[in-house]
Amino acid sequence: MSFPPAIFIMGPTASGKSRIALDIAAHFPVEIISVDSAQVFRLMNIGTAKPDQTTLSRIPHHLIDVIDPDQHYSAAEFRRSALTLMHEIIGRNKIPILVGGTMLYFRALQEGLSVLPSANPQLRHKLENMAEELGWPAMHQKLIELDPETAARIKPTDSQRIQRALEVCHLTQQPMSQVLKAPRLTDFPFEAISIALTPSDRSQLHRRIAERFDDMMDGGLIEELVSILRQFPSLTPEAPSMRCVGYRQAYLYLNDQINMMQLRDMGIAATRQLAKRQLTWLRSMNNERLQEFDCLSPNLSIQVRSFLQQRLHAQST
């Protein structure tokens, strides 16, 4: 039995994934699914490099503007939504093209996720109150006592991951590291055509990152965050939305913790670190069917289109 195709466009930030996806959409019958943990947030447009309204009205996009900035969105939620959308797109005789840099989402989609309990608002509120009184390093110490294996992989200041690990421990009455060793749900009834956009010259990618960050600043990133905080005054630096690169640094600036020069330097440095992690994820996938292209190539679009034509033709015959 052959499965319907799904195109994956992966790569580090500033590698041109969105541009390539739009070029593909101009030549193939596709609908785009965003694989971006930042673009799910409403109102966060400039710092997440969302497509503009003209593009969104011209080409179908999914999983953009899903939740408010004060809400949470998990890899499990992404997997459920993405699989549903992929089936619907195939039902419309089109090809789903999944585009983004959140490598955890790509892995969760293909390899599945361990069955973890859903978030418990009451327990989370209790943990947050404890953390406010004791501090997150002390909460990390509690995690060491309950689940040393998981604690060893989490920094004492990583409030989001500490909270989730403690939550799972309390809800399941066993260490999260043990829960994660259980069999995964791995149903993925699609034939992935995986494309990785990687740089042949890392310094050129760094230049793109700096230019992109400057464009976001010029485009009104700070003003956008001011508007968001006005609508959601309870947002803290620990909120998932405020942990996004660019917004975290802008938040510090608005709270007089850093100056404008530091905002730029820290934002670019954080984006470069993000790109490094994304490239590490790609290497760890070790997928023999992952087709790699130099994102700096002047004829990148032609190369990708030619590859897709061959793969889609081979699959249909």
Side-chain angles (χ1 to χ4, degrees), residues 55 113 185 287 289:
T55 301
L113 289 163
L185 300 174
N287 187 343
R289 307 193 73 177

Side-chain angles (χ1 to χ4, degrees), residues 128-307:
E128 287 169 359
N129 287 340
M130 289 178 62
E132 188 172 342
E133 179 182 349
L134 303 174
W136 285 108
M139 300 296 283
H140 185 264
Q141 186 60 44
K142 290 183 179 294
L143 181 61
I144 290 175
E145 298 169 6
L146 294 171
D147 186 358
E149 184 177 338
T150 297
R153 298 195 299 268
I154 301 177
K155 294 181 180 179
T157 55
D158 193 337
S159 58
Q160 186 178 4
R161 295 180 67 196
I162 294 170
Q163 181 189 57
R164 179 55 174 161
L166 286 171
E167 180 184 45
V168 171
C169 287
H170 286 291
L171 291 174
T172 64
Q173 295 298 301
Q174 59 180 319
M176 187 170 79
S177 56
Q178 191 64 37
V179 178
L180 291 173
K181 293 172 183 176
R184 297 182 172 206
L185 300 174
T186 56
D187 178 51
F188 184 71
F190 298 91
E191 180 68 27
I193 302 174
S194 301
I195 293 171
L197 305 182
T198 58
S200 56
D201 182 349
R202 192 74 65 91
S203 67
Q204 289 299 310
L205 181 68
H206 291 170
R207 179 183 59 77
R208 283 189 181 184
I209 286 171
E211 291 175 352
R212 175 170 165 168
F213 194 84
D214 287 338
D215 288 343
M216 289 178 177
M217 292 294 295
D218 293 340
L221 176 62
I222 294 175
E223 292 78 8
E224 180 178 78
L225 181 54
V226 168
S227 176
I228 291 170
L229 293 174
R230 191 177 296 123
Q231 297 178 63
F232 299 92
S234 64
L235 280 174
T236 68
E238 286 74 36
S241 61
M242 293 300 100
R243 293 164 67 91
C244 296
V245 172
Y247 292 96
R248 174 186 286 275
Q249 292 74 31
Y251 190 102
L252 295 175
Y253 170 79
L254 290 174
N255 283 273
D256 298 321
Q257 294 176 261
I258 59 174
N259 59 36
M260 183 65 75
M261 182 76 72
Q262 291 171 313
L263 190 166
R264 180 182 185 274
D265 291 345
M266 291 172 64
I268 292 173
T271 310
R272 287 171 60 167
Q273 284 298 312
L274 171 62
K276 182 179 179 180
R277 291 194 300 271
Q278 291 167 322
L279 287 167
T280 300
W281 269 89
L282 281 173
R283 287 193 296 270
S284 72
M285 286 182 173
N286 193 26
N287 187 343
E288 295 179 358
R289 307 193 73 177
L290 180 67
Q291 183 68 36
E292 194 170 343
F293 293 93
D294 179 8
C295 67
L296 305 175
S297 174
N299 63 342
L300 175 62
S301 296
I302 295 173
Q303 293 178 42
V304 172
R305 287 204 306 268
S306 175
F307 167 73

Side-chain angles (χ1 to χ4, degrees), residues 34 36-42 48-51 63-66:
S34 170
D36 191 308
S37 60
Q39 290 189 355
V40 297
F41 294 110
R42 301 185 188 100
T48 64
K50 282 180 191 170
L63 298 188
I64 291 177
D65 295 335
V66 177

Side-chain angles (χ1 to χ4, degrees), residues 13 22-23 27 47 53 64 82 86 168 209 246 298 303 305 309:
T13 186
L22 293 177
D23 181 77
H27 295 85
Q53 286 302 315
I64 291 177
M86 292 168 77
V168 171
I209 286 171
Q303 293 178 42
R305 287 204 306 268
Q309 286 172 345

